[in-house]
Amino acid sequence: MEKRKKRAASSGLPRLVRQVNLQTVTREMRRLALFSKIDLARQLGISTTTMTKLFAQLEADGMIEKSPVEDKSFGRPKILYQLSPALQVAAIVVDVETTTIGFSGLQGDVLPGNRVVLPSGTDARALFARIATEFPALHHTLGAACRLVGVCIPGLIESRTGMSMLNPNLHWLEGTCPGKELEVLLGIPAFVMHEEMALSRAQLRAADETTDYIAMDFVSGVGMSVVSHGTHLSGASGFAGEIGHVIMQPEGRLCGCGNHGCLETIASDRVFQAETGLPMDEALQRLGGGEPNTVAAAQ
């Protein structure tokens, strides 16, 4: 029995190493327009043999392809590769008022014509049904293969199940598993991610090589995500970094979570807009022009 356990453990380790290497390599590929096996192997500290196997796997999967461009800067021309332009990934971003469906290439660039914006409404099933109609229509128009859908929502998401556990600004999403439900409706692998996690992971593609940082936004609510040594910190259940519902004013405004005076009741775009009583575009325009009442609302 003990020998079988050791064999199982030893067989799982190489698989884990390959997966880690593959994630590291693909992350770096997304940062570059063109790349070669030798340069990536040298840059990432991975052996040339291992890199050759990873390239073969990615090429067989249709993720990368040889570029028509050759590097002739030194000696024998170097074969360069690029992420396949024939593949796309999709994102579905559910926010308080609108839901956006967008497609991008593997480099992550979303063109204006590659998205559609829907009203979020107040019913999860109705929204999922609308997405199931609009998503294939846009996908068909773009005419590119799509292998993965990322679903971004606010609130607390249980990492093991993908369930929306607490969503103070979108209570009607609570108890649903948007990633799993949309995967069934769309017929494409999907996963759900907290909007702040998506924001912090996007920052990993920045050119400044920063691997330790905190990402925050103050839009519909207030969110925070922490990245340490290039790894997103999620906590035991995926709730790490939640800051919007830290109580700042115990006798303050009622928050969507049921408490009073949470951070997002005093510092968010929605609070600013409510205090100005203006559409957001107009409020921002007046703020930029130094209009006193709007400036006071922003302070």
Side-chain angles (χ1 to χ4, degrees):
M1 178 65 75
E2 189 64 29
K3 289 183 178 180
R4 285 200 297 270
K5 288 182 179 179
K6 288 182 178 179
R7 282 199 298 269
S10 62
S11 63
L13 184 57
R15 189 181 305 114
L16 177 60
V17 172
R18 283 195 299 271
Q19 186 64 27
V20 171
N21 284 336
L22 191 60
Q23 290 179 353
T24 302
V25 168
T26 53
R27 177 182 295 174
E28 191 62 24
M29 286 177 173
R30 295 188 68 225
R31 293 164 58 91
L32 304 169
L34 298 172
F35 42 85
S36 72
K37 298 177 188 177
I38 295 175
D39 289 342
L40 276 183
R42 184 182 300 115
Q43 182 176 341
L44 299 175
I46 297 175
S47 72
T48 304
T49 301
T50 298
M51 187 64 72
T52 298
K53 292 179 180 178
L54 293 174
F55 265 61
Q57 178 182 341
L58 290 171
E59 194 169 8
D61 291 340
M63 297 287 289
I64 62 173
E65 60 183 39
K66 292 179 181 178
S67 169
V69 179
E70 288 186 337
D71 183 358
K72 300 180 180 180
S73 59
F74 181 78
R76 183 179 178 181
K78 187 185 303 180
I79 298 176
L80 298 177
Y81 289 79
Q82 63 187 13
L83 291 172
S84 173
L87 290 181
Q88 290 194 336
V89 293
I92 299 172
V93 182
V94 183
D95 207 344
V96 176
E97 296 182 356
T98 60
T99 291
T100 303
I101 302 171
F103 285 82
S104 77
L106 298 184
Q107 291 285 1
D109 300 319
V110 183
L111 301 177
N114 290 19
R115 70 179 70 185
V116 62
V117 180
L118 315 171
S120 292
T122 57
D123 182 89
R125 303 289 172 246
L127 177 61
F128 296 161
R130 181 77 183 276
I131 292 173
T133 299
E134 297 290 345
F135 183 98
L138 180 59
H139 187 197
H140 178 74
T141 300
L142 298 177
C146 180
R147 295 188 179 179
L148 184 67
V149 180
V151 184
C152 294
I153 65 172
L156 300 183
I157 304 170
E158 209 286 320
S159 58
R160 289 182 292 273
T161 63
M163 179 178 289
S164 176
M165 303 296 292
L166 174 65
N167 207 315
N169 297 317
L170 294 171
H171 284 296
W172 45 271
L173 272 180
E174 293 174 357
T176 68
C177 297
K180 293 180 180 179
E181 297 196 34
L182 287 170
E183 179 171 320
V184 172
L185 290 171
L186 301 176
I188 300 174
F191 67 96
V192 67
M193 181 182 294
H194 188 280
E195 57 188 4
E196 292 305 317
M197 180 178 177
L199 177 64
S200 64
R201 288 176 69 89
Q203 176 62 28
L204 288 172
R205 297 180 61 220
D208 61 4
E209 304 292 338
T210 301
T211 58
D212 298 88
Y213 55 87
I214 293 174
M216 295 185 67
D217 73 22
F218 300 80
V219 190
S220 300
V222 177
M224 183 178 79
S225 182
V226 180
V227 172
S228 177
H229 299 290
T231 300
H232 175 264
L233 302 184
S234 58
S237 299
F239 302 159
E242 177 55 57
I243 195 174
H245 300 285
V246 173
I247 297 176
M248 305 296 292
Q249 298 176 340
E251 305 301 325
R253 296 174 180 171
L254 178 65
C255 180
C257 72
N259 291 323
H260 286 265
C262 292
L263 178 59
E264 73 173 43
T265 67
I266 60 176
S268 70
D269 283 0
R270 295 181 74 196
V271 173
F272 167 66
Q273 183 178 4
E275 292 192 356
T276 62
L278 300 169
M280 182 57 75
D281 290 344
E282 183 178 349
L284 291 175
Q285 184 177 2
R286 293 193 183 189
L287 179 64
E291 198 273 328
N293 292 335
T294 309
V295 172
Q299 293 176 341

